[in-house]
């Protein structure tokens, strides 16, 4: 299984594409479609002459952002494939890829993975609601949309 075109469209509707380094909702230096540069503020990286930041300090092109997104999505798809042993429908898979693309892995949601792999699909979906960085409003909205996708196959592209 792979992420669908609607799954990609959904993720891109939530991620902003910044061609210059910017801080994400956690204050981490990011570029493109949510590609993590480092778990630091961009200004801290710039001040310290960080080698990773140096690569991105002058920005990237849209083509580079799109290529990095494709690589990041494939890494995320592989994470889902390796961790999920229960059978899932396309919309469930897409919701999981969206969640993990945003989180970086299952480390912040072990209960979700455990429930899914024991085929507690409803319980798994309920777990999305708890992954909001202590109530960040944008993440609450995104998680609700991912839950609609997971449960009903309803992809929300406007927010």
């Amino acid at each position: 299984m792979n992420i669908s075109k609607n799954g990609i469209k959904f993720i891109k509707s939530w991620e902003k594409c910044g061609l210059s380094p910017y801080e994400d909702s956690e204050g981490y230096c990011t570029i493109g479609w949510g590609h993590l540069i480092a778990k630091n503020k961009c200004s801290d990286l710039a001040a310290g002459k960080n080698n990773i930041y140096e690569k991105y300090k002058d920005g990237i092109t849209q083509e580079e952002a799109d290529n990095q997104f494709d690589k990041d999505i494939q890494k995320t798809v592989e994470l889902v494939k390796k961790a999920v042993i229960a059978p899932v429908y396309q919309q469930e898979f897409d919701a999981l890829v969206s969640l993990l693309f945003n989180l970086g892995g299952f480390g912040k949601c072990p209960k979700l993975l455990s429930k899914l792999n024991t085929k507690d699909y409803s319980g798994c979906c309920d777990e999305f609601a708890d992954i909001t960085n202590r109530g960040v409003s944008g993440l609450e909205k995104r998680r609700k949309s991912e839950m609609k996708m997971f449960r009903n196959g309803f992809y929300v592209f406007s927010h």
Side-chain angles (χ1 to χ4, degrees), residues 9-16 138 141-142 145 156 159:
K9 184 178 174 184
F10 176 88
I11 292 169
K12 283 186 169 182
S13 76
W14 285 97
E15 297 290 336
K16 79 178 194 181
K141 289 177 186 174
R142 182 172 179 163
S145 290
V156 178
H159 326 282

Side-chain angles (χ1 to χ4, degrees), residues 81-95:
K81 285 181 178 180
K82 285 179 183 173
V84 175
I85 58 173
V88 292
Y89 290 108
Q90 185 66 57
Q91 76 265 11
E92 294 167 335
F93 187 84
D94 288 350

Side-chain angles (χ1 to χ4, degrees), residues 4-127:
S4 71
K5 288 181 182 180
N6 276 338
I8 289 171
K9 184 178 174 184
F10 176 88
I11 292 169
K12 283 186 169 182
S13 76
W14 285 97
E15 297 290 336
K16 79 178 194 181
C17 182
L19 300 181
S20 296
Y22 64 91
E23 268 104 37
D24 68 8
S25 64
E26 291 190 49
Y28 296 154
C29 192
T30 306
I31 198 162
W33 295 99
H35 177 73
L36 179 68
I37 296 173
K39 290 186 174 184
N40 300 87
K41 291 186 178 218
C42 295
S43 58
D44 293 345
L45 293 172
K49 300 287 186 195
N50 180 288
N51 288 338
I52 297 168
Y53 181 77
E54 288 294 313
K55 176 181 176 181
Y56 298 108
K57 71 177 182 177
D58 296 324
I60 59 175
T61 66
Q62 186 66 55
E63 182 180 6
E64 289 170 323
D66 292 342
N67 288 339
Q68 187 62 57
F69 176 81
D70 292 343
K71 290 176 189 172
D72 291 345
I73 280 293
Q74 282 312 304
K75 286 178 187 174
T76 306
V77 163
E78 292 307 314
L79 284 174
V80 173
K81 285 181 178 180
K82 285 179 183 173
V84 175
I85 58 173
V88 292
Y89 290 108
Q90 185 66 57
Q91 76 265 11
E92 294 167 335
F93 187 84
D94 288 350
L96 291 165
V97 171
S98 176
L99 176 70
L100 262 61
F101 184 84
N102 188 238
L103 295 179
F106 281 107
K108 291 184 180 179
C109 55
K111 284 185 188 176
L112 179 144
L113 182 61
S114 175
K115 288 180 180 186
L116 178 61
N117 282 336
T118 59
K119 299 181 183 175
D120 178 3
Y121 296 97
S122 182
C124 167
C125 189
D126 291 342
E127 289 295 321

